[in-house]
Amino acid sequence: MCGIVGYVGTDHSVEVLLGGLRRLEYRGYDSAGVAVIGIDGALRTRKHAGKLQILVDDLDETAMPNGSTGIGHTRWATHGGPTDENAHPHLGDGGKLALIHNGIIENFAELKAELLADHPETVFTSETDSEVAAHLVGYAFRETHDVTEALRSVVAKLHGAFTLLAMHQDQPGTVVGARRNSPLVIGLGDGENFLGSDVAAFVEHTRRAMAIGQDQLVTITADSITVTDFDGNPVDSEEFEITWDAAAAEKGGWSSFMAKEISEEPEAIANTLLGRSVDGEVRLPELEDDDERLAGIERIVILGCGTASYSGMLGKYAIEKWARIPVEVELSHEFRYRDPVLDAKTLVISISQSGETMDTLMAVQYAKKAGAHTISVCNTQGATIARESDAVIYTHAGPEVAVASTKAFVAQVAALYLFGLHLARVRGTLDPAESAGLLEELKAVPEQLATVLEQHDRIRELAHWMADSRAVLFLGRHVGFPVALEGALKLKELAYIHAEGFAAAELKHGPIALIEPGQPVFVIVPSPRGKGSLHPKVVSNIQEIKARGARVLVIAEAGDAAVLPYADEVFTIPLASTMFEPMLAVAPLQIFAMELAAAKGLDVDQPRNLAKSVTVE
Ligand code: F6R
């Protein structure tokens, strides 16, 4: 996820671009850059690793004269770490063309090889997939002498997700954009026009905007806007009015970053899956050279803290089932200080959204020293844990700003499932057809999850109604158990309500004594379908608590009639195989905790006593 802004208008594009980037910084903040065609007619770029302010401090009017045409980018690294070289814009046509990109170009390696065969003189200065597009558009411009036509000819070759903006020194006053599976909107000004990843990029200049559809191209000048499809056919776009103020726009109109991030969960999973399978087989390019090593491992230890440890529990269920290898899950801090048994046949997988959690970092360093092979699942490119591990599987959830982890959790589960299928292929433990079927189901999750999120209003009502609750319990079995733990953690940290997650069958071994009339209990109910389903057992557990007066709030498969007689509220998830249910069932619990905290007037993005990145042990 990156932030993109484009401008054509009067000679103050630098200010417009920097203002836009500041508002888009929530989309990525590991590097930033701008390109401007100055009043002297020359195209210049400035870009830097680090926060936007580093770029701002480096810009001066003498070195970079202002101009009326420009593009700017704030980056969340995917291909290539956060360095000056990998920051955007990237240049083509001998430095006369500048291009910025949000997304992942899946076939960049093939395109790069083709390009080098046709133009061996091309010099690549970054490790990014985006630079390939910059050179391709640059060469195409030499033929077409028109940025729109040049970009059109290139997007036809790209696979994956992208928003691209390009401009050329020989065509000042024009910026061209293209999008597929990645956002781009137009801002309509008076004698000036804008492009942005979202309206936050230009809301301080205009309230008039236009959406651009999938697979469409837009060309802006100071007083014209032309939208076409990728084949060049004109497309009608509807204008709309931006009703958010500038501050709300950063959150995409959502009341909080957390609400926005929950809404981004389908995209977080889809982006994490992107480019990681070929012909029904999972391929993790980052583990390309590890097959022999992975085939020889005898045991896996998964490490993480808080929410990350719960995604690790789900990883255990999947990896053990699919790759038939013993997996343990442990809290990083507990693991580190108990003299654990480790050797070269042990694989240690650490999970961390921030990649900076000190407890997990210490555990990874310890495991490495003890001779274990280490892989991290991380959401932040170039983070310390990623750098210290032997290999890293990045989740592509985009920046998570709210302290409570939401979209990173589902992306971690998706990454661990990909790893499980990858390992199963390497170890030959899954029939290829079964593996392809599981991959298809995993790919269907984003769309299914989007339908679960539609229940937001009903969940808000329930949360408001329950704002005075003093304690809430969460029950689940098998893969429903980590979901119960996560539901309880969310409620504790956001709404400051005592909450506990239990394995449903454990209740009768003690905690059932907590149940008294009116006690709210969420229950994650597995699908009734399928051989060996735990559904009947969970329904029995529900009966046990219902008989003692519990108020039963159920997350169940749509159409599950057996739970209805015992449920006071039902939230539904679509039909999915057991392993995929957690990614669907967790969202209602996240929304519930957030809305209950909001009903209590609490700050859901920054709960008390917490920090986004815990860098102390
Ligand atoms: C809970 C939450 C925390 C983090 C934990 C690990 O909502 O966000 O429990 O999951 O502090 O953080 P990372 O994933 O950055 O290592």
Side-chain angles (χ1 to χ4, degrees):
M1 213 161 102
C2 303
I4 273 187
V5 53
Y7 176 73
V8 185
T10 56
D11 285 335
H12 70 300
S13 56
V14 172
E15 292 77 10
V16 174
L17 297 176
L18 294 179
L21 291 182
R22 203 173 293 288
R23 294 202 185 288
L24 291 178
E25 221 182 352
Y26 74 86
R27 296 182 61 87
Y29 38 76
D30 60 38
S31 45
V34 290
V36 168
I37 301 175
I39 33 182
D40 59 353
L43 185 151
R44 294 183 185 82
T45 59
R46 277 284 181 287
K47 52 186 196 170
H48 284 289
K51 295 262 183 194
L52 179 62
Q53 194 56 43
I54 299 176
L55 172 73
V56 173
D57 292 343
D58 179 49
L59 287 173
D60 78 87
E61 181 68 34
T62 332
M64 186 150 172
N66 220 329
S68 60
T69 313
I71 55 179
H73 189 269
T74 178
R75 180 166 188 248
W76 181 258
T78 52
H79 283 87
T83 61
D84 287 358
E85 294 74 23
N86 291 335
H88 299 218
H90 292 287
L91 299 176
D93 197 10
K96 291 200 286 180
L97 175 125
L99 175 140
I100 52 180
H101 169 221
N102 171 30
I104 297 172
I105 299 171
E106 285 183 36
N107 57 335
F108 86 99
E110 292 101 286
L111 291 173
K112 187 171 176 177
E114 277 170 30
L115 190 139
L116 284 170
D118 293 345
H119 299 279
E121 73 282 10
T122 313
V123 179
F124 280 86
T125 56
S126 78
E127 304 154 284
T128 64
D129 51 343
S130 318
E131 192 183 355
V132 182
H135 287 299
L136 285 171
V137 180
Y139 286 120
F141 186 89
R142 289 187 188 174
E143 314 257 305
T144 60
H145 306 289
D146 179 71
V147 189
T148 308
E149 290 315 314
L151 189 58
R152 192 192 317 287
S153 69
V154 171
V155 290
K157 298 180 194 162
L158 306 183
H159 299 167
F162 51 82
T163 298
L164 296 166
L165 296 193
M167 61 180 199
H168 197 287
Q169 176 178 297
D170 295 348
Q171 201 179 347
T174 299
V175 172
V176 185
R179 74 164 284 238
R180 169 181 291 161
N181 292 327
S182 200
L184 183 63
V185 280
I186 308 167
L188 300 106
D190 194 3
E192 57 183 2
N193 286 308
F194 310 81
L195 294 171
S197 298
D198 62 46
V199 297
F202 46 74
V203 69
E204 61 182 318
H205 304 287
T206 179
R207 292 292 170 112
R208 294 168 57 213
M210 247 181 204
I212 304 174
Q214 199 63 275
D215 286 5
Q216 293 182 356
L217 266 151
V218 54
T219 306
I220 62 166
T221 66
D223 38 37
S224 73
I225 285 166
T226 314
V227 185
T228 67
D229 62 19
F230 280 180
D231 295 324
N233 304 306
V235 175
D236 284 334
S237 304
E238 241 175 68
E239 190 178 322
F240 64 91
E241 198 197 325
I242 306 164
T243 50
W244 310 324
D245 63 18
E250 259 170 74
K251 296 174 188 159
W254 292 95
S255 53
S256 61
F257 278 108
M258 185 175 174
K260 177 170 177 294
E261 286 159 12
I262 292 173
S263 80
E264 288 168 350
E265 286 184 5
E267 191 189 351
I269 298 172
N271 285 344
T272 299
L273 301 182
L274 209 65
R276 284 173 162 164
S277 59
V278 179
D279 299 333
E281 274 191 353
V282 171
R283 298 272 160 188
L284 291 172
E286 44 282 83
L287 303 183
E288 214 165 42
D289 304 326
D290 277 4
D291 280 10
E292 207 177 309
R293 182 141 205 181
L294 290 179
I297 55 163
E298 289 172 355
R299 145 183 186 253
I300 296 178
V301 178
I302 298 183
L303 301 175
C305 301
T307 294
S309 73
Y310 301 147
S311 70
M313 287 173 73
L314 292 168
K316 168 190 163 84
Y317 288 116
I319 296 168
E320 283 196 339
K321 183 157 179 64
W322 298 336
R324 307 309 299 154
I325 186 164
V327 183
E328 299 151 46
V329 183
E330 201 163 341
L331 294 168
S332 314
H333 35 89
E334 290 300 308
F335 168 86
R336 166 66 185 85
Y337 295 104
R338 66 165 178 78
D339 200 8
V341 179
L342 292 167
D343 57 26
K345 299 264 182 202
T346 308
L347 169 66
V348 171
I349 302 179
S350 63
I351 307 172
S352 177
Q353 186 287 131
S354 61
E356 302 295 345
T357 299
M358 189 58 79
D359 291 316
T360 303
L361 176 61
M362 291 293 126
V364 170
Q365 287 176 344
Y366 178 86
K368 258 185 99 170
K369 235 188 199 158
H373 188 53
T374 55
I375 295 180
S376 59
V377 172
C378 183
N379 195 41
T380 311
Q381 190 93 21
T384 315
I385 292 172
R387 280 189 276 118
E388 300 256 335
S389 305
D390 295 311
V392 50
I393 303 170
Y394 281 112
T395 47
H396 296 305
E400 204 175 53
V401 179
V403 164
S405 197
T406 53
K407 61 176 179 172
F409 173 76
V410 289
Q412 284 161 357
V413 178
L416 289 163
Y417 284 8
L418 282 174
F419 176 76
L421 292 173
H422 180 93
L423 191 62
R425 179 177 54 73
V426 170
R427 295 169 60 87
T429 48
L430 262 188
D431 170 63
E434 190 184 347
S435 178
L438 290 165
L439 179 62
E440 273 317 296
E441 287 197 66
L442 183 54
K443 286 183 176 173
V445 170
E447 218 168 289
Q448 293 184 308
L449 180 51
T451 68
V452 177
L453 298 178
E454 285 166 11
Q455 295 168 88
H456 194 130
D457 289 350
R458 267 192 59 226
I459 301 167
R460 181 189 297 116
E461 268 173 40
L462 175 73
H464 279 234
W465 185 85
M466 286 177 60
D468 293 332
S469 304
R470 302 206 37 210
V472 181
L473 304 182
F474 294 77
L475 307 183
R477 285 182 88 125
H478 187 236
V479 291
F481 176 37
V483 178
L485 293 172
E486 176 60 3
L489 175 59
K490 285 287 156 292
L491 196 61
K492 278 185 267 208
E493 68 177 326
L494 291 164
Y496 318 150
I497 289 177
H498 185 246
E500 289 296 333
F502 294 108
E506 184 66 11
L507 219 61
K508 58 186 176 297
H509 298 286
I512 199 161
L514 291 169
I515 306 288
E516 54 187 18
Q519 169 65 52
V521 184
F522 273 94
V523 187
I524 295 96
V525 182
S527 165
R529 296 167 303 114
K531 215 168 112 222
S533 164
L534 289 174
H535 181 268
K537 294 198 190 302
V538 174
V539 173
S540 299
N541 298 142
I542 293 177
Q543 285 166 326
E544 287 154 16
I545 55 170
K546 189 71 191 165
R548 289 159 178 85
R551 184 175 160 73
V552 179
L553 315 158
V554 150
I555 317 259
E557 187 176 276
D560 179 353
V563 291
L564 296 182
Y566 316 106
D568 295 288
E569 290 284 344
V570 180
F571 299 100
T572 57
I573 59 171
L575 275 57
S577 304
T578 307
M579 221 48 95
F580 305 105
E581 287 171 355
M583 282 191 274
L584 303 169
V586 76
L589 302 183
Q590 295 167 334
I591 296 171
F592 174 76
M594 177 183 71
E595 293 295 355
L596 200 149
K600 289 176 76 172
L602 301 172
D603 181 341
V604 302
D605 284 337
Q606 295 182 329
R608 71 184 178 201
N609 306 340
L610 293 169
K612 185 66 187 159
S613 181
V614 185
T615 51
V616 287
E617 272 194 273

